[in-house]
Amino acid sequence: MTSPAPRRSRPSRSSLTSPYPVHEDEEAGQNGSAAANTSEQRFTEEIEEIKRYEDFTTIDWVQDAAREQVRRNVRNKENTERRKGRGGWDVRQKIWELYDAGQAWIVVTLVGIAIGVNAAILNIATEWMSDVKLGYCETAFYLNQNFCCWGVDNPEDGCPEWHRWTGIYPVNWLMYSVFAILFACISATLVKAFAPYAAGSGISEIKCIIAGFVMKGFLGFWTLLIKSIALPLAIASGLSVGKEGPSVHYAVCTGNVISRFFTKYKRNAAKTREILSACAAAGVAVAFGSPIGGVLFSLEEMSSYFPLKTMWRSYFCALVATAVLAGLNPFRTGQLVMFEVHYDRSWHLFEVPFFILLGVFGGLYGAFVIKWNLRAQAFRKKYLTKFAVPEAIVLTALTVIVCYPNMFLRIDMTELMEALFLECEGTYDFHGLCETSNRWHMVFSLAWTTTIRTFLVIISYGCKVPAGIFVPSMAIGASFGRMVGILVQALHDAYPSARYFASCEPDVPCITPGTYAFLGAGAALSGIMHITVSVVVIMFELTGALTYILPTMIAVGSTKAVTSYFPAGGIADRMIYFNGFPFLDNKEQHTFHVAVSKTMTPTSSLTLLPAKGLRLHEVTSLLSETSYSGFPIVSDTTSRILLGYIGRTELAYAIAKAKSSTLISPDASCVFSFSQQPAAQTPSSTVPPITFDDIASSSGRQTIDFSRFADTTPLTVHPRLPLETAMEIFKKMGPRIILIEHKGQLDGLVTVKDCLKYQFQVEAQERGELGAQGSRVERFEKWLWGSLVRSGSWFGEKVGRISGGRIKLNAEGGGRGGRAGSNASETGRLLVGESSDPRDSRRSIQGEILDGTEEREDGDEEGEELQER
């Protein structure tokens, strides 16, 4: 049995800043060699280029910071040598240095301009398509109703230039339905055919990407293009989805695409993360007309790492985007968003209990929608992944049938909020909303609107079109708030001399129902997203009224108190865990009272690389037979003395460079750690290291030294370290893995995936989940799916009979979504077929958590080529 090898001494602390750690006596020789620096920099850039295209992996922020330090040192040395070669100060060199230092501000300026222009175009397109369902403008077909009836006090009531499609109510309903279904069909088809990642909101995925999770193509050009085209179509279809969440997605896509043209951001994940955080702020800024609120939203909800310079760049990007949007003035009213409103009345102290009631409603609404929407998402992922386009069509048809008869459900949700927020003064009155004689009719209509819209949001959010949940939630809160405001106003009118209303001034309206709608919208947004400060600031910037900051804080604070009883997070956080993304939330605090060794993967389940003894063909076979993201390096597999760690990408790159030379034998010996004694097969300490480009001069040695690609100072902890501390290390420092070491001996390693698995096990035990409840839900899902299949078969048979067999809509259903007929046309395969969204092939959190180390399943490559199209 081999005796334990003595523990090797670790390299100097300076090697932490180098991606290829070297001996201290080698550093002097390498620092003086420009050729060595160039070679190291070239290797680093090539490896980073490879890592850009690795899907579903995680970025090691510790290594990324070290590589950035190396880049900075190399650049400074090159600049110094260039200055010496030119004899001192050089104008061109100084201009280049200024350009390099100001790249960040150039990028955020260009991104802000692009986001503002895109937002203006989308606003105009959305308003026109939303109105074309109801009628057309005689003056110019491309004008929406507001522009067609410009100057009319109540444009919603129409004008001589604006015409309904017909004077017959059922025919108008039919035209409304045809346009809505057409828009939804086009939107879902574009997403399915060209950019599957354009579906949904995107906020959950962006949070993970900013935290270091790689999703290839999610922020690519085609996703940006299709999201920008399909988003107004989805909104105009009438589905209960919003554009604010997708606005963040297309804004971040814009930043990612533009930043790739600048060398500083092309291969630097850390700096790209700063730009993405700034873009998220700009996306919220143009969606709500709230630049400060956008910065706070990025800080509170999106970014796990938000230094001061990122805050300034986020503010500047949001400012530029908002200024461009204001300059383009898409609504021609000076408003950045349609539901912007200004209040000139004050509020009274006796209204505080009603403000608290609105806050309680917002918290309960958020908890209810999150719970049932996740069940709807589970049903969709289990049964409907092959029916993305038909699902969007059916949901749109259902929405049209239910919503058209109700005046509050028929119009666009932003127009609804504009009508509900306004005061009852002047000539504006949306369908008699302010008339006392219509008071109880309006109460019942608003209650119906709140109920139906909540149901539609639950089943619509998550379908395969660009879909947000901000505006639908705000519209629900606004309808409930306006209903409460009307009831309070009715109570005051019934008892005007009551002591409870003693603070009301005579001959002046005491109750403003529009403010209740405004506060209800803020409470519902806070309840669904579990955010507080940014909601208050956004609502303040929407109104510009300092008077209503305190009522907004009261309502949002009440919502926060209610949501604290549901600590699982907002809808974005829950979707992260539902999709199985490896993400540790900074807002969560846990107390497990266990050591990190409780969750680690032991060495018996790992593949260890001995420092010496492996042949090249054995290492190649190891890469092909395993899917781990890296391999610990030990002195030998018996003693397991830890020497370092090498990533899968670095090892594959090194082998590829070695095999590019025909002089390397498959039986060549591989060395993974630095030797303490100089040997014939290692580079001399006084000359630059031998690169693979110079391999021909040393090929006769038949030894390949991979040590320069290994990390000899990996992050290690003691097995008895508390698990909570290990999770904080993952949150604060962002390593991909942490090695567990005891007295120099490797005991195992732990990843974010391991921590999350243990966390979910503990939470499941605390909740005491019962199998009977899950069985009931599963039986209901099977019954519902069977009913849908039978209804679809009946409808398909009727259509086929009426058309004489020329139209075939029937598809055999079974299992997890049925099987399309073998004779289906190309259009049929597009409407009903395998999902091209890689997120659909991933199991939920109960089954699998992604961290890039698991084996890739069949079909994982679908949709990954979108970035190269």
Side-chain angles (χ1 to χ4, degrees):
M1 186 171 180
T2 306
S3 59
R7 187 178 184 182
R8 306 289 182 91
S9 61
R10 292 292 177 89
S12 65
R13 187 64 183 172
S14 63
S15 65
L16 282 173
T17 61
S18 173
Y20 313 120
V22 297
H23 290 305
E24 294 180 9
D25 55 354
E26 291 178 351
E27 290 179 2
Q30 291 192 27
N31 289 340
S33 175
N37 287 335
T38 304
S39 176
E40 301 291 341
Q41 180 70 5
R42 178 166 54 85
F43 284 161
T44 301
E45 292 180 354
E46 290 181 1
I47 291 175
E48 289 300 307
E49 186 71 16
I50 295 172
K51 285 188 172 183
R52 276 186 57 200
Y53 296 99
E54 289 184 339
D55 203 17
F56 293 109
T57 58
T58 52
I59 296 173
D60 193 318
W61 294 114
V62 178
Q63 292 184 5
D64 190 81
R67 291 190 181 98
E68 174 58 21
Q69 184 65 31
V70 170
R71 294 189 191 99
R72 190 178 293 111
N73 292 338
V74 171
R75 186 171 62 249
N76 292 338
K77 290 176 183 177
E78 291 177 350
N79 293 339
T80 302
E81 293 175 359
R82 194 177 292 111
R83 251 187 237 105
K84 292 180 180 178
R86 295 180 178 178
W89 194 80
D90 184 76
V91 176
R92 289 182 297 176
Q93 179 62 26
K94 190 65 177 178
I95 293 175
W96 173 257
E97 291 178 2
L98 291 174
Y99 165 74
D100 185 71
Q103 277 191 40
W105 298 103
I106 297 174
V107 170
V108 296
T109 301
L110 295 176
V111 169
I113 294 173
I115 292 173
V117 172
N118 198 10
I121 295 174
L122 294 184
N123 285 336
I124 295 172
T126 302
E127 293 306 315
W128 178 78
M129 286 189 288
S130 297
D131 287 346
V132 78
K133 297 182 299 182
L134 301 173
Y136 64 95
C137 184
E138 186 181 51
T139 305
F141 186 77
Y142 55 84
L143 294 178
N144 61 25
Q145 186 173 357
N146 284 332
F147 283 151
C148 186
C149 300
W150 192 259
V152 179
D153 293 333
N154 291 318
E156 286 78 10
D157 295 335
C159 62
E161 292 79 12
W162 179 261
H163 298 278
R164 299 287 179 178
W165 288 109
T166 67
I168 305 172
Y169 182 85
V171 177
N172 288 336
W173 193 348
L174 178 63
M175 294 296 296
Y176 183 93
S177 305
V178 169
F179 277 107
I181 293 174
L182 178 64
F183 292 155
C185 182
I186 296 174
S187 179
T189 303
L190 288 174
V191 169
K192 182 179 177 66
F194 298 102
Y197 277 141
S201 171
I203 289 181
S204 303
E205 290 83 356
I206 292 172
K207 287 184 67 173
C208 297
I209 290 173
I210 293 178
F213 191 55
V214 179
M215 296 182 67
K216 177 185 166 186
F218 189 84
L219 302 178
F221 172 77
W222 272 90
T223 303
L224 170 62
L225 179 63
I226 298 302
K227 192 99 177 185
S228 300
I229 297 174
L231 177 58
L233 290 167
I235 302 301
S237 69
L239 286 170
S240 294
V241 296
K243 65 179 180 180
E244 277 62 27
S247 296
V248 176
H249 189 184
Y250 75 67
V252 176
C253 288
T254 303
N256 180 68
V257 171
I258 292 178
S259 65
R260 292 303 180 188
F261 291 100
F262 295 81
T263 56
K264 179 181 286 188
Y265 298 98
K266 188 174 183 180
R267 297 186 180 94
N268 191 328
K271 289 191 174 298
T272 303
R273 176 168 64 168
E274 298 174 3
I275 296 298
L276 299 186
S277 298
C279 294
V284 175
V286 296
F288 290 103
S290 173
I292 304 299
V295 176
L296 291 177
F297 177 84
S298 181
L299 171 63
E300 185 176 4
E301 179 66 13
M302 300 300 298
S303 303
S304 56
Y305 177 73
F306 204 82
L308 183 61
K309 63 178 180 179
T310 302
M311 183 179 69
W312 278 112
R313 288 168 185 170
S314 300
Y315 170 76
F316 185 75
C317 188
L319 175 63
V320 172
T322 308
V324 170
L325 181 62
L328 295 176
N329 193 13
F331 302 115
R332 294 297 184 266
T333 60
Q335 296 178 334
L336 297 179
V337 291
M338 181 172 289
F339 47 88
E340 184 177 341
V341 66
H342 297 280
Y343 296 120
D344 53 10
R345 297 181 191 167
S346 184
W347 56 282
H348 304 86
L349 191 61
F350 67 81
E351 295 180 277
V352 170
F354 303 107
F355 298 158
I356 296 175
L357 174 64
L358 296 177
V360 172
F361 168 79
L364 295 177
Y365 159 80
F368 179 80
V369 170
I370 289 172
K371 176 182 178 179
W372 290 102
N373 178 257
L374 288 178
R375 292 193 176 181
Q377 297 275 33
F379 178 83
R380 177 178 290 113
K381 181 172 288 190
K382 187 175 182 179
Y383 294 104
L384 301 178
T385 55
K386 298 181 181 180
F387 300 93
V389 179
E391 180 197 3
I393 294 174
V394 171
L395 285 175
T396 304
L398 176 64
T399 303
V400 168
I401 294 172
V402 174
C403 294
Y404 188 82
N406 186 284
M407 56 187 170
F408 295 120
L409 294 171
R410 184 188 312 157
I411 62 174
D412 183 69
M413 286 178 285
T414 55
E415 297 179 18
L416 172 64
M417 284 192 290
E418 179 189 25
L420 296 180
F421 285 176
L422 290 178
E423 298 178 353
C424 288
E425 256 85 38
T427 58
Y428 181 81
D429 186 9
F430 181 78
H431 292 279
L433 182 63
C434 297
E435 295 180 7
T436 306
S437 58
N438 290 338
R439 179 172 292 168
W440 293 108
H441 172 68
M442 291 297 167
V443 167
F444 289 119
S445 295
L446 290 171
W448 174 255
T449 300
T450 303
T451 305
I452 295 301
R453 184 71 74 184
T454 301
F455 169 74
L456 293 176
V457 167
I458 290 174
I459 63 175
S460 300
Y461 180 69
C463 65
K464 296 304 179 181
V465 296
I469 202 170
F470 284 20
V471 162
S473 297
M474 293 178 67
I476 292 170
S479 58
F480 179 82
R482 185 76 184 211
M483 180 187 69
V484 173
I486 293 175
L487 292 176
V488 175
Q489 188 180 46
L491 183 64
H492 171 264
D493 292 345
Y495 305 98
S497 59
R499 295 184 59 184
Y500 191 78
F501 302 109
S503 58
C504 292
E505 299 180 5
D507 301 327
V508 175
C510 183
I511 307 298
T512 307
T515 61
Y516 287 79
F518 165 77
L519 296 175
L525 177 58
S526 177
I528 198 67
M529 294 298 298
H530 284 211
I531 53 179
T532 53
V533 178
S534 53
V535 171
V536 174
V537 176
I538 287 173
M539 303 309 288
F540 162 67
E541 291 185 275
L542 281 176
T543 60
L546 289 170
T547 308
Y548 282 91
I549 285 185
L550 186 56
T552 307
M553 294 177 66
I554 292 173
V556 172
S558 304
T559 302
K560 175 63 177 176
V562 175
T563 56
S564 63
Y565 288 98
F566 308 97
I571 186 69
D573 301 318
R574 297 295 296 275
M575 287 303 300
I576 288 175
Y577 300 138
F578 177 81
N579 287 318
F581 299 141
F583 180 77
L584 289 173
D585 196 348
N586 288 325
K587 295 177 287 187
E588 292 187 355
Q589 299 293 332
H590 299 282
T591 304
F592 298 113
H593 301 294
V594 297
V596 68
S597 58
K598 179 78 173 178
T599 64
M600 73 177 183
T601 303
T603 53
S604 59
S605 302
L606 298 175
T607 299
L608 308 180
L609 297 181
K612 299 178 181 179
L614 286 179
R615 301 296 179 181
L616 180 60
H617 69 88
E618 294 176 336
V619 178
T620 304
S621 301
L622 192 66
L623 283 176
S624 61
E625 295 171 359
T626 63
S627 57
Y628 301 119
S629 61
F631 307 92
I633 301 173
V634 295
S635 58
D636 57 76
T637 55
T638 303
S639 61
R640 304 196 312 276
I641 300 300
L642 180 62
L643 301 179
Y645 183 86
I646 186 169
R648 182 185 187 89
T649 304
E650 286 82 359
L651 182 57
Y653 171 82
I655 292 176
K657 295 291 291 184
K659 286 186 174 181
S660 63
S661 173
T662 58
L663 301 178
I664 295 297
S665 170
D667 294 325
S669 178
C670 300
V671 178
F672 291 97
S673 68
F674 291 100
S675 174
Q676 296 300 312
Q677 300 296 331
Q681 68 270 21
T682 57
S684 170
S685 61
T686 59
V687 297
I690 298 175
T691 68
F692 288 121
D693 295 331
D694 305 323
I695 200 71
S697 62
S698 58
S699 58
R701 299 169 184 167
Q702 294 300 305
T703 299
I704 306 175
D705 189 356
F706 291 130
S707 58
R708 61 188 307 204
F709 296 96
D711 180 9
T712 57
T713 57
L715 189 59
T716 61
V717 297
H718 195 276
R720 290 198 296 268
L721 183 77
L723 178 59
E724 299 87 347
T725 306
M727 295 176 72
E728 287 300 316
I729 293 176
F730 279 117
K731 294 176 184 178
K732 299 294 193 307
M733 299 183 65
R736 178 181 287 183
I737 57 99
I738 298 176
L739 298 176
I740 312 300
E741 177 191 33
H742 181 53
K743 295 183 179 180
Q745 189 178 52
L746 179 67
D747 287 350
L749 62 81
V750 64
T751 65
V752 175
K753 176 179 179 179
D754 299 323
C755 297
L756 287 173
K757 277 188 174 180
Y758 186 81
Q759 173 185 329
F760 297 140
Q761 291 174 2
V762 172
E763 291 178 351
Q765 293 174 0
E766 291 177 352
R767 290 194 302 266
E769 293 179 339
L770 300 177
Q773 182 180 1
S775 300
R776 289 195 299 269
V777 173
E778 187 172 353
R779 287 196 299 269
F780 173 75
E781 290 179 349
K782 289 181 178 179
W783 173 84
L784 179 59
W785 173 242
S787 301
L788 291 175
V789 170
R790 289 190 295 270
S791 301
S793 299
W794 177 84
F795 182 74
E797 291 174 0
K798 294 295 183 183
V799 172
R801 186 178 305 170
I802 295 174
S803 64
R806 289 186 295 271
I807 301 177
K808 296 181 179 181
L809 301 179
N810 197 20
E812 297 178 8
R816 289 177 176 260
R819 178 178 57 86
S822 58
N823 296 326
S825 63
E826 189 66 29
T827 303
R829 284 193 294 270
L830 184 60
L831 294 178
V832 180
E834 294 291 344
S835 172
S836 55
D837 191 340
R839 293 169 292 186
D840 290 335
S841 62
R842 307 291 178 173
R843 286 171 284 177
S844 63
I845 199 66
Q846 290 80 3
E848 182 178 5
I849 306 171
L850 307 180
D851 67 349
T853 61
E854 62 280 78
E855 291 190 16
R856 302 170 66 83
E857 302 173 359
D858 293 339
D860 282 358
E861 291 78 15
E862 292 181 342
E864 294 177 12
E865 77 286 356
L866 296 179
Q867 194 167 356
E868 286 90 39
R869 288 196 178 186

